[in-house]
């Protein structure tokens, strides 16, 4: 019984830290007229800011494609650069600003070939 409550406390503490981290990211990236990822409207041209969570190289239509997950605390959007295997400076944990049109492919929100600016 004691172990169960210790496990619950540990999970609760982790969940609260994740919520605080998400709030901190939203405060850092959303402002100055920018739209947060969670509220961005599909099929519109948007400017988004966030942190790269993961990078993957996947073929799309027979050509390589670099995929990155951008997270700002409110949601995640997939960025896809067609014909690229690597882009210098784009690594997990890197902050960036992107501009492009949001689309949906197989239920996943995607921006293809976005313009980007690396942030410090």
């Amino acid at each position: 019984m004691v172990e169960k409550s210790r496990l619950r406390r540990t999970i609760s503490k982790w969940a609260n830290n994740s919520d605080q981290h998400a709030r901190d990211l939203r405060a850092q990236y959303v402002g100055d007229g920018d739209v947060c990822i969670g509220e961005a409207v599909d099929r519109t041209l948007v400017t988004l800011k966030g942190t790269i969570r993961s990078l993957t190289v996947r073929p799309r239509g027979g050509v390589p494609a670099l995929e990155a997950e951008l997270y700002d605390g409110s949601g995640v959007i997939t960025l896809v650069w067609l014909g690229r295997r690597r882009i210098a400076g784009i690594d997990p944990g890197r902050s960036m600003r992107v501009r492009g049109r949001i689309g949906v492919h197989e239920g996943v929100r995607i921006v293809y070939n976005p313009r980007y600016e690396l942030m410090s």
Side-chain angles (χ1 to χ4, degrees):
M1 190 73 102
V2 172
E3 286 300 316
K4 201 177 238 185
S5 64
R6 184 180 298 161
L7 177 62
R8 284 185 183 157
R9 282 194 310 264
T10 303
I11 291 172
S12 178
K13 183 179 175 184
W14 177 79
N16 289 336
N17 286 341
S18 294
D19 291 343
Q20 181 62 42
H21 180 67
R23 283 191 295 274
D24 291 345
L25 284 175
R26 280 193 302 272
Q28 178 182 354
Y29 292 127
V30 179
D32 302 330
D34 291 329
V35 177
C36 65
I37 293 171
E39 295 176 0
V41 180
D42 293 345
R43 302 176 71 192
T44 60
L45 189 61
V46 294
T47 299
L48 305 168
K49 289 190 272 186
T51 300
I52 298 294
R53 288 193 348 184
S54 67
L55 285 175
T56 310
V57 177
R58 289 196 181 128
R60 287 188 177 259
V63 297
L66 180 65
E67 293 186 7
E69 283 188 349
L70 187 70
Y71 178 67
D72 72 350
S74 70
V76 176
I77 194 156
T78 302
L79 309 174
V80 177
W81 287 274
L82 298 171
R84 304 294 297 263
R85 293 180 192 275
R86 174 106 174 93
I87 298 175
I90 296 182
D91 297 306
R94 185 66 188 250
S95 297
M96 62 189 309
R97 175 183 293 122
V98 296
R99 181 165 174 79
R101 188 168 307 276
I102 298 176
V104 179
H105 181 70
E106 296 178 358
V108 177
R109 298 176 77 207
I110 295 179
V111 177
Y112 286 98
N113 297 317
R115 293 181 182 205
Y116 66 92
E117 175 186 342
L118 301 175
M119 299 168 56
S120 57

